[in-house]
Amino acid sequence: MNIQQNVSLKPFNTFGIDVAAKRYVSITSIEELKEVLETEKDIFVLSGGSNLLLTQAIDKLTVHINTKGIQTEISGVNEVLVTVQAGENWHDFVLWCIAQNYGGLENLSLIPGNVGTSPIQNIGAYGVEVKDTITQVLAIEIATGKEIVFDNEACDFGYRNSIFKQEAKGKYIIVAVTFKLTTKNHHLNSSYGAIQTALDAQGVTKPKLKEISDAVISIRNSKLPNPDDIGNSGSFFKNPVIAKSTFLSLQQQYSEMPFYKVSEQEIKIPAGWLIEQCGFKGKRIGNTGSHKNQALVLVNYGNATGEEIYALAKRIQKTIKERFTIDLEIEVNVL
Ligand code: EPU
């Protein structure tokens, strides 16, 4: 085990925040991880760093999960089980699936981060969530070093939520995720308006996995900043779910407010719209701001500190609360 001192975490978080890990270890096998856990329990687990806002130096041992590997097992005539080590890059894995003609993850193309963190916030985009294909998550319990399997139900998935953000938070390290994917007769999901528009523009009437993936990539590229160019963590807030009664009274004042029905009693409002209405979209405040093409994405223009971005987030929350009486919940992990 090679513990390094004072390592900058700037290359390891997509916001590009330059804070130091006082002690840092890179993990490349489950055995190495178990060895670390024999002596270290108070740790900070770092994965792809794509859903993370670092506001201070890390005193705890930073354990960076860099395990690699993909295993497949045929499961029935039309399905394959694919087990992926946590440190594999998510988008590279999605492209690998498309190259094998394995269906199910194509709508989740170009999402930053690693496979191991995909279940934590149940990553989702363009009508698909990762919970739809996950069969099990293998984790190590930090207290005991034991391997624990969470099946899909045990993960208790919800919108940008799972047991790993709730009761299990801080107790486990995810080391591998198993997905059930289709090998033929794929269930393509092109229902999201922008995907259909992109396919129509290409003249594609019978899309294959790659064409759906390409459509998603072009939509994301047109709206979302590439973290390699402008630091960001994707959607900074969750889309708020509000009571229907609150929605109906707001709608009287804001008839053009977009919304999605969640249940008979609950309505989801796009946070990007709320933020845009309050004048933050495209506005730069010091080294940070809300992105010009998607207000829900907060960005680092180069030298922002985590505190600066967090201060903007608080300001946005306060403004939205005052104007719409809606609480915006931060989706990103703030440390
Ligand atoms: N909108 C605005 N202004 C904006 C942005 C959005 O008015 O600046 C309104 C528009 O009415 C638009 C609606 O919001 O039609 C929805 O926008 P979009 O399709 O971009 O989706 P979103 O709700 O803002 C969610 C996810 C994204 C995911 C997209 C597509 C959350 C928190 N975010 O964004 O996920 O890519 O849907 O499925 O649910 C992420 O989590 O990091 C992420 C990028």
Side-chain angles (χ1 to χ4, degrees):
M1 149 167 70
N2 174 20
I3 295 184
Q4 298 166 255
Q5 312 289 325
N6 284 319
V7 171
S8 168
L9 296 183
K10 188 169 179 173
F12 306 134
N13 71 100
T14 58
F15 254 126
I17 306 289
D18 191 7
V19 299
K22 295 203 176 151
R23 297 163 67 233
Y24 168 96
V25 63
S26 171
I27 297 293
T28 52
S29 72
I30 295 181
E31 291 66 38
E32 236 176 7
L33 178 59
K34 287 182 176 169
E35 192 192 327
V36 168
L37 292 178
E38 278 172 20
T39 50
E40 306 269 352
K41 303 284 179 206
D42 193 20
I43 56 172
F44 163 57
V45 182
L46 176 65
S47 180
S50 62
N51 200 37
L52 177 68
L53 178 64
L54 293 165
T55 63
Q56 54 191 316
I58 310 291
D59 290 329
K60 298 174 180 186
L61 175 66
T62 296
V63 176
H64 194 182
I65 308 297
N66 285 311
T67 49
K68 306 277 185 213
I70 301 180
Q71 278 181 322
T72 57
E73 185 192 326
I74 296 302
S75 159
V77 277
N78 193 21
E79 282 164 347
V80 59
L81 288 170
V82 185
T83 298
V84 189
Q85 298 305 302
E88 288 282 354
N89 173 273
W90 176 263
H91 180 59
D92 290 346
F93 167 55
V94 172
L95 292 182
W96 177 88
C97 290
I98 291 163
Q100 316 303 311
N101 193 34
Y102 293 165
L105 300 176
E106 53 287 348
N107 292 48
L108 304 180
S109 297
L110 210 60
I111 294 183
N114 288 351
V115 171
T117 35
S118 63
I120 299 178
Q121 52 149 333
N122 180 24
I123 59 171
Y126 308 107
V128 172
E129 289 180 321
V130 76
K131 74 171 173 58
D132 305 337
T133 49
I134 289 180
T135 59
Q136 69 172 51
V137 170
L138 176 67
I140 307 282
E141 190 176 32
I142 294 173
T144 61
K146 282 195 182 135
E147 294 188 10
I148 314 265
V149 171
F150 292 78
D151 64 14
N152 183 292
E153 202 186 336
C155 292
D156 200 17
F157 289 119
Y159 164 59
R160 294 293 189 277
N161 206 0
S162 76
I163 195 168
F164 304 106
K165 275 180 110 171
Q166 304 295 335
E167 304 93 284
K169 188 172 179 179
K171 295 189 184 148
Y172 301 92
I173 301 174
I174 294 172
V175 290
V177 184
T178 304
F179 302 85
K180 189 184 255 188
L181 304 173
T182 49
T183 51
K184 53 185 165 189
N185 304 330
H186 305 301
H187 311 293
L188 299 182
N189 189 333
S190 60
S191 57
Y192 199 92
I195 294 188
Q196 200 51 59
T197 309
L199 293 173
D200 290 347
Q202 304 279 315
V204 177
T205 47
K206 287 191 181 152
K208 298 198 172 74
L209 299 177
K210 172 135 186 352
E211 283 146 344
I212 299 273
S213 169
D214 286 347
V216 168
I217 289 172
S218 76
I219 299 163
R220 289 189 75 97
N221 279 335
S222 71
K223 281 194 179 185
L224 299 167
N226 180 342
D228 292 339
D229 305 329
I230 307 178
N232 75 88
S233 215
S235 302
F236 196 87
F237 303 96
K238 285 188 186 184
N239 285 330
V241 175
I242 61 174
K244 194 171 176 187
S245 52
T246 313
F247 167 70
L248 290 175
S249 73
L250 281 170
Q251 205 185 27
Q252 294 193 338
Q253 207 181 338
Y254 303 101
S255 56
E256 74 292 3
M257 181 164 72
F259 63 95
Y260 318 101
K261 185 175 158 185
V262 175
S263 67
E264 287 310 319
Q265 293 310 321
E266 289 178 318
I267 304 286
K268 195 189 268 184
I269 309 291
W273 184 84
L274 298 168
I275 299 169
E276 181 171 353
Q277 292 302 303
C278 292
F280 286 105
K281 187 171 182 173
K283 190 163 161 180
R284 180 169 176 160
I285 298 147
N287 292 308
T288 179
S290 148
H291 191 249
K292 63 178 178 12
N293 297 335
Q294 168 50 291
L296 189 47
V297 177
L298 303 190
V299 297
N300 173 5
Y301 284 108
N303 297 310
T305 60
E307 286 106 313
E308 215 177 340
I309 295 169
Y310 191 53
L312 173 62
K314 288 272 167 207
R315 187 171 151 191
I316 291 174
Q317 281 177 316
K318 185 165 179 284
T319 311
I320 296 220
K321 178 78 177 171
E322 282 166 4
R323 177 147 167 208
F324 295 102
T325 69
I326 291 179
D327 289 305
L328 271 195
E329 191 188 333
I330 292 180
E331 203 275 307
V332 166
N333 208 355
V334 180
L335 217 76

